């Protein structure tokens, strides 16, 4: 069975609401910079996209957070 996989990238955004980092589970407070997963060619619904705090992005980078090797 073939898995439906959407190629994604991270987009830098300023938080409008409090969110939780997908990687470390820390709060991303309103006004803080975070990185939001978006589809490269296909739409990725915001309910399933991952959010990463600035600290995790700085520490691990996009490829590791998204699971690319």
């Amino acid at each position: 069975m073939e898995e439906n996989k959407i190629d994604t990238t991270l987009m830098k955004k300023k938080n409008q609401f409090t969110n939780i980092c997908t990687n470390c589970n820390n709060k991303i407070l309103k006004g803080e910079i975070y990185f939001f997963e978006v589809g490269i060619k296909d739409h990725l619904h915001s309910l399933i996209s991952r959010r990463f705090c600035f600290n995790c992005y700085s520490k691990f980078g996009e490829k590791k957070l998204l699971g690319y090797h």
Side-chain angles (χ1 to χ4, degrees), residues 1-61:
M1 187 159 99
E2 193 173 314
E3 185 180 326
N4 292 333
K5 184 167 181 344
I6 297 175
D7 290 326
T8 61
T9 189
L10 294 177
M11 183 182 352
K12 185 178 177 180
K13 293 186 90 174
K14 189 172 184 179
N15 204 10
Q16 295 180 354
F17 308 99
T18 299
N19 285 307
I20 303 294
C21 177
T22 302
N23 190 59
C24 68
N25 293 323
N26 286 332
K27 284 185 181 180
I28 306 168
L29 301 176
K30 183 178 179 180
E32 290 183 337
I33 299 296
Y34 73 105
F35 293 83
F36 183 73
E37 184 179 30
V38 295
I40 295 174
K41 292 183 181 178
D42 299 312
H43 174 70
L44 182 65
H45 197 284
S46 63
L47 292 177
I48 63 169
S49 65
R50 297 174 284 180
R51 293 154 178 83
F52 299 102
C53 67
F54 187 83
N55 288 337
C56 285
Y57 183 83
S58 297
K59 192 182 294 185
F60 300 111

